[in-house]
Amino acid sequence: MKKYLPFILLGFGLLAVIFVVILVKNSKNTNTEDENEAAVPEIPVEQRPVVALIPTNNPAVPNSDGHWLDFKVQKINVLGAASMDYELIYSTASGGQQGVPGTVKLDGNDVDRMLLLGSESSGKFRYDTGVEQGTMTIRFRDGKGKLIGKLSTMFHLQSDVTELTSVDGVFKYTLDKIAKGVFFVTMQTFKDPEAGMAVISQNGYSVFASDSKPHTGKIVQ
């Protein structure tokens, strides 16, 4: 055994060197990707789609109001885009963060996905509590997978209040009365969605309601 000990040690040494090289390489790749993403040109206003997160429920799951977001991307017109990555990040009552990622191939149609604020296993659902704010980021890629554009918007999920506000404070809508049991999302949508889709839309901001009904109020300037 002692005869082969130097070779064994040499082998472990080589494995350690290889491991370090891989870590350094991955770190460089990550940094390069971050730098490339930071250098991606801003999507021109005329090419920006409508991005919406509509609070809803899952008809097949009881007591799921406010735990699902209907993610819609409409009027997609980003030149050269073949696919779209999306990433929903939100904060929970415990102060932690959760993410919901995905990728969609673009075929000329609108994107529509139901996103769960929680997790599912074997048909059983666990809902994250205290979700009020988060961010939706979408990244467009060409046919070769190259990042060609990115948009990010914050959302504010509220219920049983009269003042609905965007996270950045730019947009405020005051309801005439509290809508009991109705969930609202206020967010920047970049473009105004189709008529009747939102409670109110103005200057690229919208309010969406979980009951899809009109809710009278006024915009606070």
Side-chain angles (χ1 to χ4, degrees), residues 53 134-136 152-156 166-168 185-188:
L53 291 167
T135 303
M136 170 58 79
S152 186
T153 177
M154 296 178 288
F155 72 89
H156 193 185
S166 61
V167 176
D168 58 15
V185 163
T186 306
M187 63 183 292
Q188 185 180 18

Side-chain angles (χ1 to χ4, degrees), residues 40-49 75 77-79 140 148-151 190-191:
V40 172
E42 185 176 5
I43 297 175
V45 174
E46 63 274 12
Q47 293 183 33
R48 294 179 184 178
K75 303 177 183 178
N77 188 35
V78 180
L79 296 179
F140 293 97
I148 58 174
K150 181 181 102 169
L151 287 173
F190 303 106
K191 286 185 178 179

Side-chain angles (χ1 to χ4, degrees), residues 15 69 72 88 105 136 144 154 196:
L15 288 174
L69 295 176
K72 297 179 182 290
L88 179 73
K105 289 186 178 180
M136 170 58 79
K144 296 182 179 180
M154 296 178 288

Side-chain angles (χ1 to χ4, degrees), residues 72-76 104 107-113 194:
K72 297 179 182 290
V73 184
Q74 302 175 329
K75 303 177 183 178
I76 300 172
V104 181
D107 56 7
N109 295 318
D110 294 338
V111 173
D112 195 341
R113 294 286 187 277
E194 299 173 358

